Each structure stands twice: as C-alpha cells, then as structure tokens.
Amino acid sequence: MQGCFQGVAVISYGDERLAPSRTAIYIIIAVILFLALTGTLVVLFYPRTVSATSTKLKIIWAEISKNNTRLILQDTVNVKNSNYFVSYLDGINVTVQYQQREVGKNYTKYNSSVTRPTISPRKVTPLNYSITLDFNKETGSDDIWTYCCLIKYSLGFQIQVNTRFSYFSNKFEFSDSMYQIANCNEVIKKADNTCHLDLTGNTKT
C-alpha cells in the first residue's frame, strides 16, 4: 500500500540543479593561476649572473726609456646584467700582470647608493678604468722600450677583473681573467731615444 503514495518529480531541463558542480572547476582554475603567477615571479626575481669582462685595453699615456717606464692604460670592462631588474656595482678590482709579474692595479669601491653605478637589466654596460703601470730596468722597462720604441710591436698583459654586485638583498662576486694586447703604433720616438704618447687630451711640454 505504501507504493501508492510515491510520486514522480518533474524537473525542467534548464533547472540549475541539473548542472554539474562548478566548485571543482573553480579550484582547478585557481590552482593554474597560482602556479602561473608563482612561476612568473620566480622567473623575474630569481637572481642571475652579473658578469664583467675586460674587452679593450689601450695605452693612453706613455713615457718610455730603457731604465724607467710609465704607462697609463685604459681598460674597458663590459658588465652584463642577466637579471630582469637593475643591479648595482659595489666594487671592481682590475689587476694587470706583465710577464707573470703584477705591475699595476685599480681598486674601486662604491660605498653609497648615490655613487654606485647602476647596471641596466638584460643589457651590457661598458665601464672605463685607467691603470698606471711603473717599470724599471729590473721589471722590464728595457723590454718595453724594445717592443714599443724600437720595433713598434704590441704589449701583452694579463688582466684580472674582480667585481662585486648587489641585486636586491643578494650579493655577488665575479672573477675573470683574460689576455689583452695594447698597441704601440701611436708611440712617438724622440731624438734622445725615449718614447712618448699622450691621448688623454692634456698637452705635455
């Protein structure tokens, strides 16, 4: 007798109760968006290498004799920032060796954010530094006189570049060593067998 009281419910085809639950879809979309956002932030902010390489060594001033020689070299250091945001140069040390002997160096340290050079993101920034080299007869002045004054040859130097960078709260150090050639073609030999060159724009008398 109980079956006589059972009925059949008729629900319209457009009734929302027949639609599948959207909660799972919302969760999947939220997870995908979260992973995409996290991946983007990791790619943008993950610290990458900031490197520095000596690319062009040039003699800009010279006073050469067999017994004493002074050279001023200009070194162009290309700094490459592989990050997506600005990096800052904290310091750079350029050391020059001639015939496996250290003959000059330039140590530059930047203490405040005002003076620190900014290295643009995803670009190569050239920085110029001058290094003074002094030689006497024991350290190769006569060799330099022979190469530069007598046969107008080139001088080979081993350049060591050590750099320190800041990227947000991260600190980086990078070191590179390369062999560079400085041309002596523009050096002028005088009657007293000394040689001179001045490309600094300062006229010497």
Side-chain angles (χ1 to χ4, degrees), residues 1-7:
M1 293 297 294
Q2 293 179 357
C4 296
F5 296 101
Q6 293 179 352

Side-chain angles (χ1 to χ4, degrees), residues 48-61:
R48 293 171 176 80
T49 302
V50 182
S51 60
T53 305
S54 174
T55 59
K56 187 177 180 182
L57 194 67
K58 182 179 181 180
I59 300 175
I60 60 173
W61 191 88

Side-chain angles (χ1 to χ4, degrees), residues 7-23:
V8 177
V10 178
I11 303 175
S12 172
Y13 180 77
D15 195 296
E16 293 183 356
R17 287 174 293 178
L18 297 178
S21 175
R22 298 181 181 177
T23 303

Side-chain angles (χ1 to χ4, degrees), residues 32-123:
I32 292 174
L33 291 176
F34 174 77
L35 292 176
L37 179 61
T38 303
T40 301
L41 292 176
V42 169
V43 169
L44 290 177
F45 289 95
Y46 184 79
R48 293 171 176 80
T49 302
V50 182
S51 60
T53 305
S54 174
T55 59
K56 187 177 180 182
L57 194 67
K58 182 179 181 180
I59 300 175
I60 60 173
W61 191 88
E63 196 170 89
I64 305 170
S65 69
K66 288 187 176 181
N67 296 322
N68 293 285
T69 291
R70 168 164 286 192
L71 303 177
I72 298 179
L73 306 182
Q74 179 176 282
D75 187 26
T76 300
V77 178
N78 279 351
V79 182
K80 181 181 179 182
N81 181 12
S82 300
N83 295 286
Y84 285 91
F85 295 92
V86 169
S87 296
Y88 295 94
L89 181 62
D90 295 328
I92 182 167
N93 301 339
V94 181
T95 304
V96 181
Q97 290 185 344
Y98 179 71
Q99 296 181 346
Q100 299 182 343
R101 183 188 296 113
E102 183 178 310
V103 292
K105 57 189 176 182
N106 183 323
Y107 288 178
T108 306
K109 183 178 180 180
Y110 302 98
N111 295 316
S112 65
S113 59
V114 178
T115 60
R116 287 190 304 172
T118 58
I119 310 302
S120 301
R122 314 296 291 179
K123 289 184 179 180

